[in-house]
Amino acid sequence: MVTEVTATTTTAAPAVVGTSGTKMIVTMGALGLVCAVLIVAAFQSTLPAIERNKAAALERAIFDVIPNATSKTVFAEKDGRLVPAEEAPGGPRYYAGYDDDHRLIGVAVEASGQGFADIVKVIYGYAPAQGAVVGMKVLESHETPGLGTKIETDPAFRANFEALEARLDGSGNGIANPIVLV
């Protein structure tokens, strides 16, 4: 009797080379660092252009809310009085608009209020001769397009600020007919 013997070879499964947790953390940390540096570099390189664009938008807004103004002077509050802005860095600014004959025709004032999503920054124009708010423009808003942005796009809403009476009372310490927010 002949017995046939066959050799069988078993192949072991290849060993899985594990990645250590430390190696993954170092890789993710290095990737995060590279991304952070790129974000900061992009921010720093675009900041001057962003600031110029904001200043240009503010300049246009001032002349939009003070109709017929051809020049302006910027004031700031210091010790309870208005002084040229250079004398009081920081704080709110007041923009006096003048006509070609250098007569004051209006003042623009920035304001802000809580919107639904974020703070809405606006600028108002006030004409002392008329005793009225004569313009309003949104400077910055992060409201929902189509809903919260109606403050910028709705002609009926914007018309409220074309001649909104804001005359002083007899004492000069308050508004004769208070403006009621609705």
Side-chain angles (χ1 to χ4, degrees):
M1 166 176 236
V2 176
T3 309
E4 194 175 312
V5 176
T6 55
T8 58
T9 56
T10 58
T11 309
V16 175
V17 178
T19 303
S20 72
T22 305
K23 187 174 182 180
M24 286 192 323
I25 290 172
V26 168
T27 302
M28 292 302 290
L31 184 60
L33 180 63
V34 168
C35 289
V37 167
L38 290 173
I39 290 170
V40 169
F43 176 79
Q44 290 296 327
S45 65
T46 58
L47 187 59
I50 291 169
E51 293 299 324
R52 278 192 310 274
N53 289 339
K54 280 185 177 181
L58 176 61
E59 184 84 6
R60 284 188 308 272
I62 291 166
F63 290 104
D64 283 348
V65 299
I66 307 174
N68 304 317
T70 56
S71 65
K72 71 169 177 35
T73 302
V74 184
F75 294 97
E77 191 175 338
K78 182 178 181 182
D79 301 326
R81 60 188 182 85
L82 291 179
V83 296
E86 300 80 36
E87 295 179 25
R93 297 287 187 248
Y94 304 91
Y95 307 93
Y98 301 93
D99 64 11
D100 288 330
D101 296 325
H102 304 289
R103 288 183 302 230
L104 177 69
I105 58 171
V107 177
V109 180
E110 291 180 73
S112 61
Q114 181 63 48
F116 181 73
D118 199 4
I119 301 294
V120 177
K121 295 179 183 177
V122 298
I123 189 165
Y124 293 100
Y126 176 77
Q130 296 172 348
V133 173
V134 293
M136 185 276 301
K137 187 165 180 89
V138 175
L139 296 174
E140 186 176 331
S141 172
H142 301 284
E143 297 299 303
T144 305
L147 297 174
T149 57
K150 287 191 177 207
I151 188 174
E152 299 175 67
T153 60
D154 184 5
F157 179 80
R158 293 181 52 84
N160 289 310
F161 301 96
E162 291 173 2
L164 179 61
E165 185 182 331
R167 294 188 191 284
L168 294 178
D169 61 13
S171 68
N173 294 322
I175 296 176
N177 300 309
I179 298 170
V180 179
L181 300 175
V182 234

